[in-house]
Amino acid sequence: MSVKITKPRGTNDVLPSQSAAWQAVEGKLITAARRFGYSEIRTPVFEATELFARGVGDGTDVVNKEMYTFEDRGGRSISLRPEGTAGVVRAAIENGLLADALPRKVCYLVSCFRYEKPQSGRYRQFHQFGVEMFGADAPAADAEVICMVSDILRGFGLAGVTLELNSIGCPACRAEYHKALRAYFEGYRAELCPTCQERLDKNPMRILDCKNPECREIASGAPVILDYLCPECRAHFEAVKDLVAAAGIAYTVNPTVVRGLDYYTRTVFEFSVPGYPALCGGGRYGGLVAELGGPDIEGVGFAIGLERLLALLSEQGLAPAQPKGCDVYLASMGEAAGKKAFLLAEALRRADVSAQCDLCGRSVKAQMKYADKLGARYAMVIGDDELAKNEAELKEMAGERRVMVELLDDSFTDAVRKVLAT
Ligand code: HAM
C-alpha cells in the first residue's frame, strides 16, 4: 500500500511558479552586497553544536529551545544552523580570512532551522540573506551596514519601512545594567513566566524579549540600557545615529530592541514594515570572533528573512514576475517533421533561445494546448508541407503576429532571434 508523505511542519516547498521570484530577489541582494564590497561565502548546513552554544549563547531561546540537535554516527553533537553569523565567523577564522585586508566583508544566502511554533511568517526551515563585516570598529561601519539595508529595501520599492536603533553597550557597561535589571525584576520574580525566572538568574536582558504578555508588561517599566552606557559606548552610538541621520535615513531609538542572540554589543537595529516586525535585524558583535578562537576583532552585520521579504513584496505588488517558460514551441506532425522540430529546438537552445518540442508523440492539437500551458511566446507547426517548402510560420501565441521563417540550418536561429527581439 502506498503512503502519502507530506512536508515536515513549518517547512515550505518553493514551487516552479515561485522560484523565479526567489532567484530575482536573491540576485538583487547579492548585487547590492557586491556594491558595498561583499563577496559571498557558503558554509555547511550543520556545525558542531558547541559553535552555536558558545556563539549564539546557551541562554537564548534559539539555542536552548529551538535548535535541531542530534548525535551523528560518530557520536558528535551536531546542530542544523539556526542562523548564519556563527558559522560564517567560524569559517572566516578557520580559513584565515581575518588575517589581513580588514575590514573583510562577506555575505551569504543560507537556510536556517529553528524548532519554533509554525505560523504565518515563522517557519522551522527558513532562509536568510545576511552580511558580516569584520575588523571595523568605527561607527561608520555600523552606519554603512544600516545604509545598505535601507538601500536594499528602497531598491525593492517597499513602502512603510521603519528603522529602530539601540545600543546595548559593551560588557563593562552591561555589568552595571544587569545589576539594575536584576534588582528590578527580582521584585516581580513570582509574576514572571518560569522561563524568565531562569533568565533572571542567567541573563536578565533576555527577559526584555519575552513574548509572554505579563512579562512584557513588567518589562515595560524596567531600567533602560541607554542610561547605563559607558562614555565610549555612548559616543559610538551618538556617532552611528549622526551618520545614519546624515545619510537621510529616518530612525527611532528604541531601548527595548535587545535582539534574541547573545553576541551583540553596542549597536543593534531592526527594520520593520507594518505586519512584518523585525523583518531584518542586525548589529555589532564585539567578542564573538575572539570567543570562537579568532583574533580580537569586532564584527557587524545583519540578516533578512527571505520568506518574509518575498511575502511582503507580493503583498505590496512588488514581487518579480515569473518569466515566460518558453520562447518558442516547435509542434510537429509525423516522424520526419518530429525529427526536424527536435533538431531545430536544439539549434535554438544552442543559440540561447528557450525552445521546446513534442516529447510525447502527441497530436498537434495536444501539443498546442501544452505550448499554451507553458506560456510559450511563439509556436510553429511543422508538417510534411512545411518540410517540402522548407519554411514554416512562426505564430505569436497571445497576438496576431505571423512571420514566415525558412527552416534552413544556417539561417533559422538568426531569423527566430530577430523575431523574438522585435
Ligand atoms: P535574527 O533576527 O534571529 O538575526 O534573524 C534574522 C531574520 O531572519 C529575521 O529578521 C527574520 O526576518 C528571519 N527569521 C528569523 N526566524 C525566522 C523564522 N522562524 N521563520 C522565518 N523567518 C525567520 C540573526 O539571525 C542574526 N544572525 C543577524 C545578524 C547577522 N546579526 C549580525 N549579523
Side-chain angles (χ1 to χ4, degrees), residues 47-216:
E47 299 270 3
T49 300
E50 197 191 352
L51 173 70
F52 303 116
R54 293 178 77 97
V56 176
D58 51 14
T60 60
D61 279 1
V62 168
V63 168
N64 249 348
K65 298 190 189 164
E66 297 169 1
M67 232 160 38
Y68 280 86
T69 298
F70 57 95
E71 197 172 280
D72 73 4
R73 287 168 195 269
R76 304 168 196 91
S77 180
I78 294 291
S79 294
L80 301 185
R81 68 175 157 229
E83 56 99 56
T85 308
V88 167
V89 172
R90 190 234 2 104
I93 297 168
E94 197 169 334
N95 294 288
L97 303 188
L98 309 179
D100 62 359
L102 299 177
R104 169 73 75 163
K105 298 173 170 184
V106 294
C107 64
Y108 51 86
L109 284 161
V110 287
S111 48
C112 300
F113 304 84
R114 295 185 191 175
Y115 195 82
E116 295 199 76
K117 202 166 166 216
Q119 49 184 271
S120 167
R122 182 173 300 156
Y123 306 108
R124 289 183 174 168
Q125 178 180 353
F126 60 98
H127 297 79
Q128 287 184 345
F129 167 78
V131 310
E132 311 297 344
M133 184 200 306
F134 298 105
D137 296 358
D142 313 51
E144 189 185 274
V145 169
I146 291 168
C147 283
M148 179 178 170
V149 184
S150 171
D151 288 1
I152 286 174
L153 300 180
R154 191 170 343 104
F156 281 113
L158 286 167
V161 176
T162 53
L163 163 63
E164 290 178 307
L165 277 180
N166 190 23
S167 172
I168 55 171
C170 62
C173 36
R174 219 175 302 159
E176 280 308 301
Y177 180 55
H178 277 185
K179 268 192 223 154
L181 269 187
R182 256 198 201 103
Y184 172 80
F185 283 121
E186 211 42 83
Y188 298 95
R189 183 180 273 275
E191 293 151 62
L192 293 170
C193 74
T195 315
C196 280
Q197 293 185 9
E198 272 176 44
R199 288 170 173 151
L200 182 49
D201 300 320
K202 275 196 189 164
N203 182 355
M205 252 172 76
R206 290 276 74 87
I207 301 174
L208 301 176
D209 46 35
C210 181
K211 285 156 195 110
N212 180 306
E214 283 94 67
C215 298
R216 284 178 87 109

Side-chain angles (χ1 to χ4, degrees), residues 334-347:
E335 208 174 304
K339 188 172 176 189
K340 185 77 177 171
F342 178 90
L343 294 174
L344 290 175
E346 181 58 8

